[in-house]
Amino acid sequence: GRTLRATLKSANPSDVVSLAKALRATAVVLDDIDRGPTDGALDAVEQLVACGVAVLASSNDSAEICGALLRDGRIDDHRTFGPIEPDVLERFADGLEAEVVERLRTCTVATVARYKARRRALGAERAWQMLASPAVDEPVPAA
């Protein structure tokens, strides 16, 4: 089947539904569902499910997902990824200070990768501040 990938932060939910129908998609992946418009995401998920389209969604902060999206019949199966595995962190940790590596041990792979990108783009101090304050979510400037 066909799979459509979209980010509702940058795509209109009704356009995603229309495109999925036009392409006869069997699945739609909604990236960062916690960052887009909640009402639009809910409507899109309901319409897609009603058409028999499988909906998969990713989120960096499950606390930001509208509870209505998590009810039965919408996004039913929830998975949480734990902290980065030590051997993977070791590969990422090249050139990082011990204090930073210790802090990263409790983070997900996505957070570690985002920290590394911010460190390259913004410098060690600013990246550390953003890591220490996870509520701060600034885009990573192009390097």
Side-chain angles (χ1 to χ4, degrees), residues 47-107:
Q47 288 183 51
L48 291 165
V49 169
C51 293
V53 176
V55 178
L56 296 98
S58 70
S59 166
N60 291 312
D61 186 356
S62 60
E64 294 296 320
I65 299 174
C66 168
L69 278 168
L70 303 177
R71 288 192 198 126
D72 287 343
R74 294 178 180 136
I75 301 174
D76 296 328
D77 189 10
H78 308 155
R79 306 285 172 121
T80 301
F81 295 95
I84 192 169
E85 294 177 6
D87 62 319
V88 176
L89 179 58
E90 187 177 313
R91 283 183 268 157
F92 273 100
D94 187 40
L96 297 179
E97 300 81 8
E99 176 185 21
V100 172
V101 174
E102 195 55 39
R103 170 72 169 101
L104 293 174
R105 287 187 195 290
T106 62
C107 298

Side-chain angles (χ1 to χ4, degrees), residues 1-5 20 24-30 48 52-56:
R2 292 188 175 110
T3 300
L4 174 65
R5 179 176 173 245
R24 290 188 229 134
T26 55
V28 172
V29 178
L30 300 173
L48 291 165
V53 176
V55 178
L56 296 98

